């Protein structure tokens, strides 16, 4: 049976970049209401993807909820450009900030955007507990950020459970990396309510069927 409380956010990183409009339409016709935008700068992670100009172009083509995952150093320098590209949620990495974590949260809020904070697999979730009541979403990464198509790290599941137990009831708890129909069950059982999926949904013969199998 469909679980209406789970949000699926397909990661555009696994889509056909030569045909993004078509890929977005496929997502729009499915049960997924979000699109996950993996922004990488070649410094915070060992890969480069795309930035605000591309997001601005596809924004004009789609009404999906734009979920921007910034895997970049110095997020404070770029938040304005992602806000102006009309992302709905701006999600930065805790590890990319030092003393200014709270300022980054405030900066995102100042543009009236939803705020997400992410942690990599090796980062202790307790380090971000003090921000739980200041953000809309916590992202627990279940692969090392940088590439799609990696294997889900079960060792991170305990962190999902920690967020569930220590965060406000309406917290969005996102899990990203190696999500398929089997690992989705583990993530949801631990408390995840937003699942990112790249390869599993975009490389499937039937995206709609793949999305439904995650609900
Ligand atoms: C990895 C990205 C993920 C990735 C997910 O750094 O943040 O969003 O694209 O892809 P899959 O689902 O294939 O692991
Ligand atoms: Zn991501």
């Amino acid at each position: 049976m469909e679980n209406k409380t789970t949000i699926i956010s397909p990661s555009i990183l696994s889509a056909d970049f030569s045909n993004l409009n078509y890929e977005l339409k496929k997502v729009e016709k499915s049960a997924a209401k979000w699109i996950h935008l993996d922004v990488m700068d070649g410094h915070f992670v060992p890969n480069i993807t795309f930035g605000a100009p591309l997001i601005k172009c596809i924004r004009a083509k789609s009404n999906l909820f734009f979920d921007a995952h910034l895997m970049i150093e110095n997020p404070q320098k770029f938040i304005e450009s992602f806000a102006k590209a009309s992302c709905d949620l701006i999600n930065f990495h805790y590890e990319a900030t030092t003393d200014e974590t709270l300022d980054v949260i405030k900066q995102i809020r100042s543009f009236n955007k939803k705020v997400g904070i992410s942690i990599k697999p090796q980062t202790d979730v307790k380090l971000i507990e003090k921000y739980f009541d200041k953000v809309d979403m916590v992202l627990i990464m279940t692969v090392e950020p940088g590439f799609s198509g990696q294997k889900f790290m079960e060792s991170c599941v305990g962190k999902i459970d920690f967020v569930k137990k220590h965060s406000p009831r309406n917290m969005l708890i996102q899990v990203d990396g190696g999500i398929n129909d089997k690992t989705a069950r583990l993530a949801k059982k631990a408390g995840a309510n937003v699942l990112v999926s790249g390869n599993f949904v975009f490389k499937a013969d039937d995206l709609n069927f793949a999305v439904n199998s995650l609900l």
Side-chain angles (χ1 to χ4, degrees):
M1 207 181 71
E2 252 187 40
N3 174 2
K4 299 280 185 208
T5 60
T6 305
I7 295 167
I8 307 300
S9 192
S11 166
I12 211 169
L13 191 54
S14 298
D16 176 359
F17 278 23
S18 71
N19 218 349
L20 280 181
N21 200 22
Y22 169 74
E23 297 280 58
L24 287 169
K25 294 300 157 222
K26 271 201 305 192
V27 174
E28 280 169 19
K29 284 188 200 133
S30 79
K33 298 291 165 260
W34 288 27
I35 188 82
H36 184 80
L37 303 158
D38 283 309
V39 176
M40 303 186 189
D41 66 353
H43 294 280
F44 184 74
V45 286
N47 196 8
I48 299 176
T49 55
F50 51 82
L54 181 132
I55 295 176
K56 198 173 168 191
C57 285
I58 61 172
R59 176 79 279 182
K61 307 274 182 191
S62 175
N63 288 321
L64 289 164
F65 183 90
F66 274 26
D67 163 29
H69 178 193
L70 305 186
M71 287 161 276
I72 61 173
E73 283 179 2
N74 298 315
Q76 60 278 20
K77 280 194 188 166
F78 300 98
I79 280 161
E80 183 170 2
S81 64
F82 289 102
K84 288 189 171 157
S86 299
C87 294
D88 295 293
L89 181 149
I90 300 179
N91 184 6
F92 68 97
H93 265 267
Y94 167 73
E95 303 88 351
T97 61
T98 43
D99 295 338
E100 73 287 5
T101 313
L102 209 49
D103 292 337
V104 173
I105 293 171
K106 286 184 191 154
Q107 193 187 358
I108 299 171
R109 286 248 180 267
S110 75
F111 292 105
N112 255 327
K113 303 297 178 183
K114 292 214 180 299
V115 183
I117 188 166
S118 309
I119 50 168
K120 301 202 277 188
Q122 304 305 329
T123 303
D124 185 347
V125 66
K126 293 197 180 90
L127 293 171
I128 59 166
E129 189 181 357
K130 58 178 177 280
Y131 304 112
F132 286 176
D133 61 346
K134 297 178 174 57
V135 298
D136 301 290
M137 189 175 84
V138 172
L139 165 54
I140 301 296
M141 294 272 338
T142 43
V143 297
E144 280 301 332
F147 301 92
S148 52
Q150 302 182 76
K151 194 172 177 292
F152 181 87
M153 295 166 72
E154 278 192 41
S155 55
C156 298
V157 170
K159 293 202 267 187
I160 306 169
D161 186 60
F162 181 91
V163 181
K164 175 80 184 160
K165 290 196 174 118
H166 296 86
S167 64
R169 270 172 58 133
N170 58 352
M171 176 67 87
L172 293 169
I173 306 174
Q174 186 175 61
V175 174
D176 182 9
I179 290 290
N180 57 36
D181 50 350
K182 292 170 193 70
T183 55
R185 275 186 235 143
L186 299 176
K188 287 190 290 185
K189 198 169 166 220
N193 48 27
V194 186
L195 301 179
V196 175
S197 185
N199 269 16
F200 180 72
V201 296
F202 276 109
K203 306 292 185 210
D205 291 335
D206 183 340
L207 179 138
N208 195 41
F209 184 83
V211 166
N212 285 339
S213 74
L214 300 176
L215 290 169

